Amino acid sequence: MHKIIAFFTVLFFCTIPNASPQYSFKKNTLTDINIWKCGYSDNSFGADFASPRYDDGEWHDKKIIGLWKADKYGAKGIRWFRTKIFITQDILDYEKAAIFIPTVISAYEIYWDGTKIGENGKIGDYKMALAKKETGERIGNSAGIFVIPQQFFSAGEHTLAIRISNFSAISGFIAENPKIGTLENVISHISKTIAYSAALIGIFFITALFNIIFIAKSLHVRAHVTYAMFSLCCCGHVFVPIFVMYYQTNLEHYYLIALLNDAFEIGLIWLLPTYLLRLFNAKRLILKSSIFFAVSTIAVMLPRLAIYDISPISTLAFLGSANEIFTSFSAITSVGIALEALFKKEKGAKTITIGLIIFWLCIVFSIILKQINISSLGFALLSAFITITMGRFFWEEMGKKSLIEIKNTRLELELLKNNIHPHFLLNSLNTIVAWIEEDPKIAVKLVNELSKELRLLMSFSQKKIISLSEEVSLCRAHLKVMNLRREKNIKLKISGDIEGITIPPLIVHTALENGLTHGFVKKDTGTFDLSVTRQAQKIIINLENNGENNHSQNRVATGTGNKYIVQRLEEIYGNNFKFVSEAKNNGWRVIFELPAERV
């Protein structure tokens, strides 16, 4: 019987129109206050909106989270918010009750049972606003904590009222629910939130640093740069709201701070799929990345258009939902890119796909539950999965590079031995002696060219990268030496712009030496044509000669010289290059196709 009476009693009170919202004070937890009785004017005709005795029965129930301009009462003016707080027992003398208001983009006053217990900023004068004069409003700081005096805090029902002024802000805005609890709980809540956010920021920053370190050591340079930028955007996206909500921050420039956070959000949505496209060498990367950037910018900035009166305020809810949907869509697209890579059996695709699915689920729950911390946790877990994958890539690359460096050292020694072979030096010296007797000037010239070639050869062999123009200088010096030694007239012609292009050392020189040795045995005149073609994604270097097209040149394609060329190219470009050595109708052709981003 008692249960039936209690049920109908609760049902009766729940059906009373305009019943005041009521919250119970709890010692062990903070209570979020989000439903209020809302008044859209200021005290007038003797009415005291802060008083517990004031009848607010005709006021509207409303959540105060959001923009003032989202309703029919406009953006400017003064509003009141009232709610009932029920205290079941007195708190001890050493326990202090407090109200915590993270962020209100305007000035406000806090009342407890009609007594003002605190204020933030300065409330504007409504009459001055009607007269279109300076209202004197001064916007306060964020993170307001207001302790309720002990003498006013006793068991029973109490009235909490907030008077908010908004004359100078673009739109009145309350970013997070006010909370009530013991001062100890308020401080604990702030500390836990800051600690959690600091941990997330630390994860993102370490991930960014991890990728920055990889930049100088990895073949996936641009992928690491992209993910480092993504991780830094994660840092900013967590840091900015926490800084505003939980530290004393002047809110006069809140919207500039919000725009900064929007920039970080654009980075989050845009850079994640761009990183995956780079990592898995997707086609049309620049076009796809540009589309993602444009759509991400539009999706993030659309709600701001409503806030700043550029689009109707009635579209705000739709634009905000569109922003959330596109954020989720970006995560789904990233999952799709990873699944495609998984289908193609790309390395690391499985681990990244698992991380992306977990991340996408966190995004969905964040939208449903309206908890940004869930999406931040998803970012952190995703970073962990991607870092594991990148670490695996790094160690594999380091192992390959070590093997390549060992092979290159051996090949360099063999190449230097071939170029500075005793027979080469002996023949050159014999030629010099002969020219001294016949024409001393030519002998001097041969000595100079030989010393120049040897000097360049020794300096280049110790470098991993040189300019193409330096390589051309070495080739010209070698041709001059060989022309003087063998009394031939073989020239090197250049077409195209060779400036600003870098290559591994001695690859063109080695190709030229091969062609000279095997293509001009019987011919005394000839030409090497070096042409350069620049394209959007690659640089093509073509070296042709009009020498003899014989079987010995075919055999040289598998010799030490070409092995050296391939190893040098793999060291710098991985598998992202093409090297062709082939016969043509009247001579031989060597083609280097190198990625433009590393040239």
Side-chain angles (χ1 to χ4, degrees):
M1 186 66 181
H2 292 292
K3 292 182 179 180
I4 296 175
I5 294 174
F7 170 77
F8 281 104
T9 301
V10 171
L11 182 65
F12 172 76
F13 282 109
C14 290
T15 55
I16 295 177
N18 294 322
S20 296
Q22 187 176 84
Y23 293 89
S24 296
F25 177 83
K26 301 176 182 178
K27 288 187 178 183
N28 298 325
T29 60
L30 283 180
T31 301
D32 280 359
I33 308 173
N34 57 2
I35 304 296
W36 300 74
K37 283 285 190 176
C38 304
Y40 301 97
S41 61
D42 201 8
N43 296 323
S44 60
F45 304 108
D48 183 2
F49 293 166
S51 172
R53 293 182 295 276
Y54 178 76
D55 183 8
D56 57 11
E58 295 184 358
W59 286 20
H60 298 282
D61 289 345
K62 184 183 177 182
K63 287 186 177 183
I64 67 170
I65 298 177
L67 297 169
W68 284 17
K69 295 193 70 174
D71 56 44
K72 62 183 179 180
Y73 296 99
K76 308 303 178 184
I78 295 177
R79 293 190 182 186
W80 280 85
F81 300 93
R82 289 166 51 97
T83 191
K84 301 294 184 180
I85 305 295
F86 188 76
I87 302 173
T88 57
Q89 60 184 4
D90 292 334
I91 64 173
L92 302 176
D93 291 341
Y94 62 85
E95 295 177 319
K96 295 183 178 180
I99 299 166
F100 173 53
I101 302 182
T103 307
V104 177
I105 317 303
S106 50
Y108 60 91
E109 298 172 342
I110 304 291
Y111 293 86
W112 181 265
D113 287 342
T115 301
K116 184 166 74 172
I117 61 174
E119 61 184 358
N120 195 345
K122 183 180 179 182
I123 297 289
D125 190 318
Y126 188 73
K127 294 180 180 179
M128 297 295 288
L130 292 176
K132 297 182 178 180
K133 296 181 180 180
E134 179 64 41
T135 64
E137 180 183 74
R138 178 175 55 82
I139 296 175
N141 298 329
S142 63
I145 300 176
F146 304 93
V147 177
I148 302 173
Q150 186 75 27
Q151 64 269 27
F152 299 141
F153 203 81
S154 57
E157 186 180 81
H158 298 268
T159 299
L160 172 63
I162 304 178
R163 181 189 182 209
I164 300 181
S165 162
N166 183 55
F167 293 106
S168 56
I170 295 175
S171 293
F173 182 73
I174 298 176
E176 187 178 332
N177 299 335
K179 307 175 191 299
I180 187 171
T182 63
L183 182 60
E184 180 182 0
N185 285 336
V186 170
I187 295 173
S188 175
H189 167 76
I190 294 173
S191 300
K192 289 178 181 178
T193 305
I194 292 175
Y196 173 76
S197 301
L200 291 177
I201 292 171
I203 291 172
F204 296 137
F205 184 77
I206 291 171
T207 303
L209 187 62
F210 188 68
N211 281 270
I212 290 171
I213 292 171
F214 280 178
I215 289 171
K217 299 288 186 181
S218 176
L219 301 176
H220 298 282
V221 173
R222 292 203 172 186
H224 285 302
V225 171
T226 303
Y227 198 73
M229 292 171 58
F230 171 77
S231 298
L232 292 175
C233 285
C234 290
C235 286
H237 193 58
V238 174
F239 175 77
V240 172
I242 293 300
F243 183 82
V244 172
M245 288 183 185
Y246 296 101
Y247 289 91
Q248 287 285 324
T249 306
N250 187 277
L251 298 176
E252 289 186 358
H253 305 295
Y254 174 81
Y255 287 94
L256 293 177
I257 299 173
L259 288 175
L260 174 62
N261 196 47
D262 288 343
F264 289 130
E265 186 175 355
I266 291 171
L268 293 180
I269 299 174
W270 165 51
L271 290 172
L272 180 59
T274 300
Y275 162 74
L276 295 172
L277 292 171
R278 288 195 182 281
L279 183 64
F280 298 123
N281 298 316
K283 296 180 179 179
R284 298 181 180 178
L285 187 148
I286 295 177
L287 175 62
K288 293 177 181 177
S289 178
S290 299
I291 292 173
F292 263 105
F293 176 75
V295 178
S296 301
T297 303
I298 293 171
V300 172
M301 296 308 296
L302 278 177
R304 295 292 171 193
L305 299 180
I307 294 173
Y308 286 103
D309 281 342
I310 298 175
S311 66
I313 196 64
S314 58
T315 63
L316 178 62
F318 169 76
L319 296 177
S321 298
N323 173 268
E324 292 178 344
I325 290 171
F326 184 77
T327 301
S328 180
F329 175 75
S330 175
I332 294 173
T333 304
S334 300
V335 173
I337 296 170
L339 286 173
E340 182 181 2
L342 183 62
F343 179 76
K344 294 179 179 179
K345 297 182 179 180
E346 297 277 0
K347 288 191 302 183
K350 183 178 180 180
T351 304
I352 291 178
T353 301
I354 295 172
L356 283 167
I357 292 173
I358 295 173
F359 165 65
W360 178 74
L361 290 174
C362 288
I363 290 286
V364 172
F365 282 114
S366 175
I367 293 173
I368 294 174
L369 302 176
K370 303 295 182 183
Q371 293 291 329
I372 191 173
N373 286 341
I374 299 178
S375 62
S376 299
L377 179 61
F379 278 122
L381 293 174
L382 175 61
S383 293
F385 279 92
I386 291 180
T387 301
I388 291 170
T389 302
M390 297 310 294
R392 189 182 304 162
F393 282 173
F394 178 76
W395 290 118
E396 288 179 0
E397 287 177 9
M398 289 301 99
K400 289 181 180 178
K401 281 192 173 185
S402 296
L403 292 175
I404 290 173
E405 287 177 359
I406 293 171
K407 290 180 181 179
N408 279 341
T409 301
R410 178 178 56 81
L411 288 168
E412 284 172 8
L413 291 173
E414 291 183 13
L415 196 67
L416 287 173
K417 183 178 68 176
N418 290 338
N419 282 278
I420 315 177
H421 197 278
H423 291 297
F424 171 77
L425 292 176
L426 181 60
N427 291 335
S428 297
L429 291 173
N430 288 335
T431 304
I432 291 170
V433 171
W435 278 115
I436 289 174
E437 295 176 355
E438 184 175 340
D439 191 338
K441 290 184 179 179
I442 295 179
V444 172
K445 187 176 180 180
L446 179 55
V447 170
N448 289 334
E449 294 300 333
L450 180 61
S451 64
K452 179 180 178 181
E453 181 185 4
L454 294 176
R455 189 164 52 249
L456 290 172
L457 189 64
M458 293 297 293
S459 64
F460 292 171
S461 66
Q462 299 173 3
K463 297 179 180 179
K464 288 188 175 181
I465 203 85
I466 63 171
S467 67
L468 180 56
S469 58
E470 289 177 313
E471 182 91 343
V472 168
S473 298
L474 177 62
C475 292
R476 291 189 189 278
H478 185 67
L479 279 178
K480 289 179 181 179
V481 171
M482 298 308 293
N483 282 337
L484 290 170
R485 273 185 51 189
R486 298 178 180 178
E487 298 186 62
K488 295 181 182 290
N489 184 21
I490 302 172
K491 298 179 181 180
L492 174 62
K493 294 182 179 180
I494 308 296
S495 60
D497 182 14
I498 66 173
E499 296 300 324
I501 298 176
T502 56
I503 60 172
L506 304 178
I507 61 171
V508 176
H509 174 271
T510 302
L512 182 137
E513 170 63 21
N514 286 341
L516 186 65
T517 302
H518 301 280
F520 291 94
V521 177
K522 298 177 181 179
K523 292 185 68 174
D524 293 333
T525 61
T527 304
F528 282 90
D529 291 301
L530 179 69
S531 62
V532 175
T533 304
R534 295 176 183 261
Q535 298 181 0
Q537 300 293 329
K538 60 185 177 181
I539 301 292
I540 300 174
I541 302 173
N542 188 58
L543 180 67
E544 298 184 4
N545 68 65
N546 57 359
E548 301 162 8
N549 184 353
N550 54 38
H551 294 291
S552 60
Q553 277 209 34
N554 289 316
R555 289 195 299 271
V556 82
T558 59
T560 302
N562 280 38
K563 286 182 180 179
Y564 170 80
I565 291 173
V566 172
Q567 290 290 341
R568 274 298 200 182
L569 292 172
E570 286 182 350
E571 180 185 14
I572 303 300
Y573 308 111
N575 295 323
N576 192 20
F577 73 91
K578 185 177 180 181
F579 171 63
V580 178
S581 181
E582 61 185 9
K584 63 173 191 171
N585 291 334
N586 57 342
W588 199 263
R589 176 191 297 116
V590 176
I591 302 172
F592 303 91
E593 290 187 9
L594 311 179
E597 64 182 42
R598 295 296 298 265
V599 171

